[in-house]
């Protein structure tokens, strides 16, 4: 067998607002090793595409690319619906997760915050938060509940709520719900006989080296709480209220929704809220729109900052996949870690950059990140999976993808953008549901 790949094919799937990338490391004509990074969507382009048929269609395409070798590894960067709901086994996404499970990934890689054991007693990478007295991981699970309630409120909006506020609350609320089916399938895939699960943090091993000879994988983020308190102390205009609410969310059912089976939807339907949690929902309902938005935005950013940041080194090329990591997650790797100088050197030489957070400016700050790539204008390749009109607002310069960033990407790098890919809008269309980027030595 070849000791290192001769090329890497990267497929960027059309999942609308979401991420789905298949990396195929080509060792020989008969030995291709496939790594799937994320599979989720919270909005599809056009009027005819439905998740219940589109997601299984993509899963089938992934299956056909993988062939008999199946999946070498599966990476779920963080728990947002637009990154993992394709792993769900429910009919809402056409049971696409069942097709993926059939590809028998040998490794399931997730951030440390998803470790189901850490979630119960938070021994390992977690530390109790003095403010909420709940562990960070339990806090994340509680956030899913708060998000579901906010989505629920927006689903039956009070008369004062504007259409644009309702849209934003629904979008953010629904992206932050627990995604129970996908989370359970990810756990099950990692527990399959012959497979292993890795929950990684900054500096830890990804577990991919043995499966991908000749490929080095650096885990740059997220830091765990012993490394950085920054991802916990997220900037928020009213952090006290936020943490109080988070404590309230955790108190709703004492434990996380997965272990209790308590779940409040966020699928647009009305949901039954257990009697002991009604006070909390009442309290949420008394907040004004701006406060609700502030909370759900903070939840959203906090979850983004649990994203795995992976950098693959292969035949001298550097491929960067940061999920939706925002600057608070990056800061540890680039400034505070003992290995920060090394991380900065790696970053400077990046050849392929998966644009963070669908082209949101908070994931690719100009000075903090973009200007650190030395190969801008010199062969840098970028990959963007996004869909306009779903998130943010041009008037407040928060639209995703951000127009100024898009312009930079187009003028200073070779951009592969899923916005350009039209699929399945007519029955005659037979084009592949993905764009292909091939990386060679
Ligand atoms: Zn995302």
């Amino acid at each position: 067998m070849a000791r290192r790949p001769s090329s890497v094919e990267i497929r960027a799937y059309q999942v609308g607002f979401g991420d789905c990338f298949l990396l195929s490391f080509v060792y020989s004509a008969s030995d291709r090793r496939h790594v799937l990074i994320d599979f989720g969507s919270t909005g599809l382009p056009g009027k005819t595409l439905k998740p219940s048929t589109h997601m299984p269609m993509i899963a089938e395409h992934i299956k056909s690319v993988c062939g008999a070798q199946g999946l070498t590894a599966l990476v779920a960067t963080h728990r947002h619906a637009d990154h993992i709901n394709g792993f769900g086994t429910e009919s809402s996404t056409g049971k696409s997760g069942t097709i993926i499970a059939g590809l028998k990934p040998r490794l399931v890689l997730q951030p440390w915050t998803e470790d189901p054991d850490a979630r119960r007693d938070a021994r390992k990478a977690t530390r109790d938060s003095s403010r909420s007295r709940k562990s960070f991981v339990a806090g994340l699970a509680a956030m899913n509940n708060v998000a579901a309630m906010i989505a629920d409120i927006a689903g039956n909006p009070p008369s004062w709520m504007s259409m644009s506020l309702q849209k934003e609350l629904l979008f953010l609320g629904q992206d932050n719900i627990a995604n129970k089916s996908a989370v359970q399938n990810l756990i099950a895939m990692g527990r399959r006989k012959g497979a292993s699960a890795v929950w990684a943090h900054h500096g830890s091993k990804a577990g991919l080296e043995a499966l991908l000879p000749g490929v080095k994988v650096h885990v740059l983020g997220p830091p765990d709480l012993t490394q950085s308190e920054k991802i916990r102390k997220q900037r928020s205009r009213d952090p006290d209220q936020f943490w109080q609410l988070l404590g309230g969310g955790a108190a709703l059912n004492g434990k996380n929704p997965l272990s209790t089976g308590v779940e409040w939807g966020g699928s647009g339907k009305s949901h039954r809220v257990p009697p002991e949690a009604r006070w909390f929902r009442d309290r949420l309902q008394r907040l004004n729109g701006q406060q609700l938005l502030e909370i759900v935005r903070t939840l959203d950013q906090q979850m983004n900052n649990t994203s795995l940041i992976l950098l693959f080194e292969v035949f001298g090329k550097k491929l960067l996949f940061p999920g939706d990591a925002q600057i608070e997650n990056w800061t540890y790797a680039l400034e505070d870690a003992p290995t920060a100088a090394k991380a900065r050197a790696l970053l400077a030489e990046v050849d392929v950059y998966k644009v963070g957070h669908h082209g949101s400016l908070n994931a690719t700050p100009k000075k903090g990140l973009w200007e650190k790539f030395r190969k801008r204008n010199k062969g840098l390749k970028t990959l963007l999976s996004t869909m306009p009109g779903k998130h943010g607002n041009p008037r407040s310069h928060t639209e995703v993808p951000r127009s100024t960033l898009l312009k930079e990407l187009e003028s200073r790098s070779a951009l592969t953008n899923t916005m350009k890919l039209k699929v399945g809008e007519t029955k005659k269309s037979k084009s592949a549901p993905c764009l292909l980027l091939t990386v060679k030595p």
Side-chain angles (χ1 to χ4, degrees):
M1 194 200 83
R3 266 176 300 165
R4 63 169 207 185
S6 56
S7 67
V8 183
E9 295 172 0
I10 306 175
R11 286 176 174 78
Y13 281 91
Q14 175 55 282
V15 285
F17 200 92
D19 264 9
C20 181
F21 295 95
L22 184 64
L23 279 60
S24 305
F25 295 85
V26 182
Y27 288 86
S28 71
S30 60
D31 185 7
R32 301 153 61 85
R33 304 192 179 190
H34 309 280
V35 176
L36 179 62
I37 303 181
D38 290 340
F39 181 22
S41 170
T42 48
L44 294 170
K47 288 188 178 119
T48 54
L49 299 185
K50 289 189 189 71
S52 57
T53 50
H54 188 74
M55 299 303 264
M57 185 271 282
I58 287 181
E60 288 293 349
H61 193 274
I62 292 169
K63 185 177 164 182
S64 72
V65 174
C66 290
Q69 266 187 307
L71 271 175
T72 297
L74 187 160
V75 179
T77 60
H78 65 298
R79 193 195 278 216
H80 273 153
D82 62 329
H83 293 255
I84 64 164
N85 66 5
F87 299 125
T89 54
E90 295 164 318
S91 45
S92 58
T93 45
K95 302 180 183 174
S96 50
T98 308
I99 301 168
I100 300 295
L103 304 178
K104 299 185 174 160
R106 294 176 62 190
L107 174 78
V108 177
L109 177 61
Q110 293 184 265
W112 64 271
T113 47
E114 293 301 323
D115 182 349
D117 294 326
R119 195 176 288 146
R120 278 195 291 278
D121 61 6
R123 290 185 311 274
K124 288 178 197 157
T126 60
R127 198 160 65 195
D128 272 357
S129 149
S130 56
R131 294 186 90 151
S132 66
R133 286 181 299 144
K134 297 282 170 190
S135 78
F136 181 75
V137 174
L140 291 178
M143 280 157 47
N144 295 146
N145 283 341
V146 178
M149 283 199 195
I150 292 179
D152 202 19
I153 291 170
N156 308 283
S159 54
W160 53 262
M161 194 177 278
S162 70
M163 287 265 283
S164 64
L165 176 64
Q166 186 204 7
K167 191 177 156 219
E168 184 84 6
L169 288 176
L170 265 181
F171 174 75
L172 288 172
Q174 290 181 355
D175 202 21
N176 281 278
I177 60 167
N179 294 296
K180 191 173 163 189
S181 163
V183 169
Q184 284 176 336
N185 193 26
L186 285 164
I187 292 172
M189 284 190 270
R191 283 187 181 153
R192 186 183 59 84
K193 207 171 163 232
S196 57
V198 169
W199 295 280
H201 62 276
H202 172 90
S204 71
K205 286 227 154 45
L208 278 161
E209 281 83 356
L211 299 169
L212 300 173
V215 182
K216 218 173 180 179
V217 184
H218 305 267
V219 182
L220 297 179
D224 71 15
L225 294 186
T226 62
Q227 295 173 324
S228 171
E229 288 279 296
K230 274 189 182 130
I231 56 167
R232 188 173 65 77
K233 290 179 188 157
Q234 198 93 50
R235 281 167 246 160
S236 164
R237 231 173 279 156
D238 190 355
D240 280 324
Q241 185 181 41
F242 168 67
W243 285 105
Q244 221 182 333
L245 280 163
L246 194 52
L252 290 176
N253 52 14
K255 295 175 197 124
N256 79 70
L258 280 177
S259 61
T260 59
V262 175
E263 193 187 16
W264 307 308
S267 53
K269 292 174 245 137
S270 205
H271 299 281
R272 95 201 130 79
V273 176
E276 66 275 18
R278 284 191 190 133
W279 66 270
F280 183 71
R281 194 199 146 102
D282 289 347
R283 195 169 156 198
L284 274 182
Q285 273 173 324
R286 281 201 299 274
L287 298 177
N288 68 36
Q290 209 45 48
Q291 288 168 312
L292 283 176
L293 199 56
E294 188 74 24
I295 290 164
V296 81
R297 272 193 191 140
T298 309
L299 299 184
D300 191 59
Q301 294 181 5
Q302 190 93 27
M303 198 63 86
N304 282 340
N305 279 336
T306 67
S307 278
L308 277 175
I309 303 175
L310 299 181
L311 191 145
F312 298 82
E313 249 187 300
V314 56
F315 42 69
K317 299 270 176 176
K318 295 173 183 65
L319 286 47
L320 179 60
F321 285 82
D324 281 355
Q326 298 184 194
I327 195 64
E328 294 85 358
N329 183 334
W330 277 109
T331 308
Y332 181 75
L334 297 180
E335 287 170 23
D336 304 335
T339 50
K342 193 182 143 205
R344 286 197 298 270
L346 279 172
L347 213 64
E349 297 303 320
V350 159
D351 297 278
V352 177
Y353 169 51
K354 194 294 286 189
V355 180
H357 200 198
H358 322 286
S360 162
L361 206 56
N362 58 21
T364 313
K366 200 169 180 189
K367 285 228 153 37
L369 196 66
W370 180 242
E371 289 182 350
K372 289 189 164 69
F373 297 136
R374 239 182 279 159
K375 295 190 180 167
R376 278 174 303 130
N377 292 332
K378 297 183 198 111
L380 177 69
K381 293 182 168 73
T382 50
L383 287 158
L384 176 62
S385 182
T386 193
M387 186 175 93
K390 196 69 192 155
H391 189 20
N393 191 324
R395 268 171 295 151
S396 53
H397 310 294
T398 56
E399 83 278 12
V400 178
R402 178 82 181 104
S403 60
T404 47
L405 175 60
L406 205 51
K407 226 178 259 169
E408 279 279 316
L409 293 168
E410 277 165 349
S411 62
R412 297 184 200 279
S413 71
L415 173 64
T416 300
N417 184 351
T418 61
M419 270 163 66
K420 301 262 160 78
L421 180 64
K422 301 232 181 302
V423 286
E425 283 172 10
T426 64
K427 277 188 182 162
K428 283 178 203 152
S429 162
K430 276 186 189 148
S431 55
C434 59
L435 295 169
L436 175 66
L437 170 68
T438 304
V439 186
K440 289 184 173 152

